[in-house]
Amino acid sequence: EAEVAQSPRYKITEKSQAVAFWCDPISGHATLYWYRQILGQGPELLVQFQDESVVDDSQLPKDRFSAERLKGVDSTLKIQPAELGDSAMYLCASSPGSRGSTEAFFGQGTRLTVV
Amino acid sequence: AQKVTQAQTEISVVEKEDVTLDCVYETRDTTYYLFWYKQPPSGELVFLIRRNSFDEQNEISGRYSWNFQKSTSSFNFTITASQVVDSAVYFCAPQGTSGSRLTFGEGTQLTVNP
């Protein structure tokens, strides 16, 4: 069964360092999402791609976060510099729908700890 | 924009009990979708159901059933004869058609004790 792949599963980084997460969506899925989930809360959308284009990054802290999906396939989310408050689970999801109103399949996430 | 309230933060039941998880949503969209996801301790979000706002028929899938009441903006989820493996955090999430982000609630932590 096709899955959304994320790496690494766990990441510990020091404050002010740069960190990057990678996501490989299910093959053929045009829509890719990055969500952040703080412990004890629900996931919150950071950025949404339709193919290689960003369609929603209204909640992305653009002073330190960046995301790209250069060939419309896999994606990288970067934080530079990391802050203590960035400690969270970062979830990637993909869906086949052209406007996203279909089931989203989630990866296992990257748990980030900033020390 | 959507908003969702899952008033039950934690629920604890004994195995084989029935349990209902409440979800109340707000949306300005005339057409929208409603989702339920399960998040076990391993962390990934597992899709359970997607419901179109035009379809108010209740749905049953095995031990799971969903009650969609558009008049009260509720989309409640019932697990019949709960099992220990049902222990997880459950999220309700509306999604508009004009914008496609899922808006997650705070989730309900369900613990099923043997």
Side-chain angles (χ1 to χ4, degrees), chain A residues 9 33 35 37 40-45 48 56 58-59 89 91 99-108, chain B residues 33 35 37 39 41-47 50 91 95-107:
Chain A
R9 286 290 309 279
Y33 312 82
Y35 283 85
Q37 185 178 21
Q41 299 182 18
E44 180 183 45
L45 182 74
Q48 178 186 340
D56 186 350
S58 56
Q59 302 296 317
M89 175 79 89
L91 294 160
R99 284 300 297 160
S101 291
T102 56
E103 171 189 349
F105 296 83
F106 282 81
Q108 291 192 301
Chain B
Y33 295 86
F35 291 77
Y37 280 85
Q39 188 173 42
S42 54
E44 79 276 19
L45 282 157
V46 178
F47 167 80
R50 169 178 173 261
F91 291 98
Q95 182 188 52
T97 50
S98 57
S100 49
R101 70 169 61 203
L102 285 162
T103 301
F104 287 88
E106 296 291 304

Side-chain angles (χ1 to χ4, degrees), chain A residues 65-83:
Chain A
F65 286 65
S66 64
E68 60 183 16
R69 193 185 183 198
L70 290 176
K71 297 183 179 179
V73 181
D74 59 340
S75 176
T76 303
L77 178 69
K78 297 179 181 177
I79 308 174
Q80 181 173 17
E83 296 181 353

Side-chain angles (χ1 to χ4, degrees), chain A residues 84-98:
Chain A
L84 295 177
D86 296 331
S87 295
M89 175 79 89
Y90 290 82
L91 294 160
C92 179
S94 70
S95 71
S98 60

